[in-house]
Amino acid sequence: MSDMLIRHASAVLTGLSGTAARAEGSDLRVRKGRIVEMGSLRPEPGEQQVDASGCVVYPAWVNTHHHLFQSLLKGDPAGLNATLSPWLLATPMRLRPRMSEHDFRLAARIGLVELALSGCGTVADHNYHYFPGMPYDSSAILFEEAARLGLRFVLCRGGGTLARQPGDELPPAARPETLDAFLQDVGRLVREFHDPAADSMQRVVMAPTTPPHSMRPEEMREAARVGRALGLRLHSHLSETVHYQDTVQRQHGLRPVELCERIGWLGPDVWFAHLVKLDPEEIALLGRTGTGIAHCPQSNGRLGSGIAPVRALEAAGSPVSIGVDGAASNEAADMISEIHAAWLMARARDGQDAVAQVRGGAGEGDSAATTVEDVVRWGTAGGARVLGLGAVGTLAPGQAADIAIYGLDRDPRYFGLHDPAIAPVASGGRADLRHLFVAGREIVRDGAMPGMDLIELGRQSRDAVRALLQRNA
Ligand SMILES: [Zn+2]
């Protein structure tokens, strides 16, 4: 359904800012996978029509941080009530080495399907489990699974040269790579998969797992140099909890963002997941260099990490995007839940920081400054910006036809709502996704993906979890 007219939408949010956040008309014309016209449009002969009456139209979401392998590790009791460091040991580091190729592929499929059913069209996955002699190509599996579903996919090639687990005799699957092997594999992935186009379906990103723990500073500097020489963007984790502040201060006598400045890991081609714990100097430095954030509010809440200062970062000059993070620390790894949480948490953080006038503060001030339009922009255009995918993330003539259409006419949660445009985000919960298009191709219709048997996928997931736990016992 590449040539079509989407008609009669109750509202269209564009992902743009200011008055451009809402489109004036209710119709969009698509030709050869691109939006060619918007407004109040008449059908043309032979054109397929998509009736969007009773619906709102958004850009398809852009998820900028995930670990798809964790889709089989949700709600693990060993890590459920832990903070980041003990959770890492209890859940992903304990269970990931036990996962078979079949488990990995199944986990990727579950995560991608969950995202697509929330209206997500582009997924950046931070895949970080690589080791010498790894018996299967997990990078290729991720590209294959995303392509099968028709989603845009950005592989953030993680891993590193330092072991995170203590002990001299590490099991093979916990051993680090050499820098040469790491960089050679990035080069291979670029040759096999990377397309630098603004509407690319496949990208590769240089992404050692985390600066303080994955590589020595000189190796991080070399990874940045090689990545930039290959035309890649750079991604990593940073300052997810106070642990980062303690570690980097003790190791280097610096703040984490200052360390990144020293090793060449700041700039408009870099984005970090989390950035929860930042000093004001670090916010200014990130903003001044145009370094972006993948804000992951649900995972940050689930792990007790805190609430990232996203409004302050944006005001300083940092592009803001949204990531669901892995499902081992976010049991609702879908974009509607995440964007809803981003809206509430940004406002909650500002309210938490407010000081009464009788205590010398400004009162409520601008505690409710973050709007639904803001978080929609973060989850769409902001994501496209940090990924460097200029042709996606916004609805405008010339842009790729990555479009999510949500129904509001058969769920009581939307009944009585004065402004339909905000409904899927403001009301939260499972949205009623009528259509998802990526490059004009229909990926979801009426909440289902053609050829995808969810009952069967659920059965396979239960079998895989059972086998994984038995293997681990
Ligand atoms: Zn992460």
Side-chain angles (χ1 to χ4, degrees):
M1 206 194 284
S2 188
D3 292 351
M4 63 184 163
L5 179 65
I6 298 168
R7 299 185 77 191
H8 305 314
S10 300
V12 179
L13 287 192
T14 61
L16 298 165
S17 57
T19 54
R22 292 173 184 237
E24 280 180 12
S26 61
D27 312 324
L28 300 91
R29 175 162 286 128
V30 172
R31 291 284 181 275
K32 295 185 171 55
R34 290 203 170 246
I35 299 164
V36 294
E37 206 176 351
M38 291 171 62
S40 299
L41 308 175
R42 288 176 179 281
E44 291 181 353
E47 186 175 51
Q48 297 207 50
Q49 293 185 43
V50 176
D51 181 10
S53 52
C55 298
V56 292
V57 176
Y58 283 20
W61 302 109
V62 178
N63 171 25
T64 62
H65 185 73
H66 205 161
H67 309 290
L68 284 163
F69 79 85
Q70 295 180 5
S71 305
L72 282 173
L73 309 182
K74 295 172 188 169
D76 167 33
L80 188 62
N81 297 306
T83 55
L84 175 67
S85 299
W87 166 84
L88 276 169
L89 287 169
T91 298
M93 288 170 68
R94 176 175 66 97
L95 294 173
R96 174 66 183 90
R98 265 80 171 189
M99 290 176 72
S100 66
E101 179 175 355
H102 167 78
D103 294 336
F104 183 86
R105 184 180 288 279
L106 181 62
R109 189 173 301 167
I110 291 166
L112 291 166
V113 167
E114 183 181 9
L115 283 165
L117 290 175
S118 73
C120 181
T122 300
V123 180
D125 192 65
H126 197 178
N127 190 39
Y128 59 71
H129 187 75
Y130 296 89
F131 57 93
M134 196 168 170
Y136 58 92
D137 186 349
S138 63
S139 307
I141 289 172
L142 293 171
F143 278 118
E144 279 167 27
E145 288 296 319
R148 249 172 53 118
L149 299 175
L151 300 174
R152 295 186 200 277
F153 189 75
V154 178
L155 175 76
C156 303
R157 205 295 192 180
T161 62
L162 301 175
R164 190 79 187 260
Q165 269 165 295
D168 298 331
E169 269 305 304
L170 291 169
R175 288 179 193 158
E177 298 171 282
T178 64
L179 183 64
D180 273 356
F182 179 97
L183 295 177
Q184 272 178 27
D185 193 47
V186 173
R188 171 189 74 90
L189 292 167
V190 169
R191 287 190 300 279
E192 285 186 28
F193 298 104
H194 183 68
D195 172 6
D199 63 348
S200 172
M201 295 298 292
Q202 297 191 325
R203 282 275 187 93
V204 175
V205 168
M206 179 67 80
T209 309
T210 178
H213 299 292
S214 304
M215 287 185 181
R216 296 163 189 88
E218 64 274 18
E219 293 175 327
M220 285 297 294
R221 193 178 291 116
E222 178 65 3
R225 189 192 67 74
V226 170
R228 287 184 170 121
L230 290 166
L232 307 184
R233 302 179 85 80
L234 313 181
H235 177 57
S236 197
H237 293 93
L238 198 73
S239 297
E240 185 168 353
T241 68
V242 289
H243 181 67
Y244 274 81
Q245 295 170 313
D246 285 335
T247 303
V248 177
Q249 188 70 39
R250 285 181 192 135
Q251 284 179 348
H252 306 284
L254 295 168
R255 298 181 174 98
V257 176
E258 292 170 342
L259 172 66
C260 289
E261 184 183 37
R262 294 263 179 108
I263 59 178
W265 270 78
L266 297 181
D269 57 352
V270 185
W271 85 103
F272 290 110
H274 307 304
L275 296 176
V276 173
K277 291 292 179 182
L278 299 173
D279 290 338
E281 296 85 346
E282 294 179 287
I283 293 174
L285 186 50
L286 289 163
R288 198 162 63 240
T289 54
T291 308
I293 175 177
H295 176 41
C296 306
Q298 295 192 136
S299 174
N300 298 154
R302 155 78 149 79
L303 291 170
S305 305
I307 303 175
V310 269
R311 279 215 311 123
L313 279 167
E314 183 161 63
S318 289
V320 175
S321 70
I322 304 287
V324 300
D325 206 6
S329 63
N330 178 8
E331 284 70 18
D334 72 84
M335 284 299 277
I336 289 286
S337 293
E338 202 69 45
I339 302 288
H340 179 66
W343 181 53
L344 298 181
M345 288 226 220
R347 295 166 71 96
R349 175 168 175 139
D350 284 344
Q352 185 71 23
D353 292 343
V355 176
Q357 289 168 352
V358 295
R359 305 264 188 281
E364 289 179 4
D366 60 356
S367 297
T370 303
T371 66
V372 168
E373 287 87 343
D374 287 333
V375 291
V376 169
R377 176 168 51 77
W378 295 345
T380 56
R385 184 170 163 198
V386 303
L387 298 181
L389 291 168
V392 309
T394 50
L395 300 182
Q399 290 294 83
D402 289 17
I403 299 168
I405 303 177
Y406 298 101
L408 310 178
D409 53 0
R410 57 188 186 192
D411 186 335
R413 75 170 53 222
Y414 306 125
F415 299 169
L417 203 62
H418 290 218
D419 178 8
I422 65 168
V425 170
S427 298
R430 176 78 189 268
D432 183 5
L433 183 65
R434 297 287 167 82
H435 302 272
L436 172 66
F437 299 99
V438 175
R441 185 180 154 204
E442 192 169 52
I443 310 296
V444 177
R445 177 183 291 189
D446 213 11
M449 305 177 79
M452 180 58 62
D453 181 346
L454 290 182
I455 302 295
E456 172 59 16
L457 191 63
R459 188 192 62 72
Q460 289 177 16
S461 74
R462 289 189 294 279
D463 288 350
V465 168
R466 201 176 305 119
L468 186 69
L469 294 177
Q470 281 167 0
R471 215 174 298 144
N472 191 40

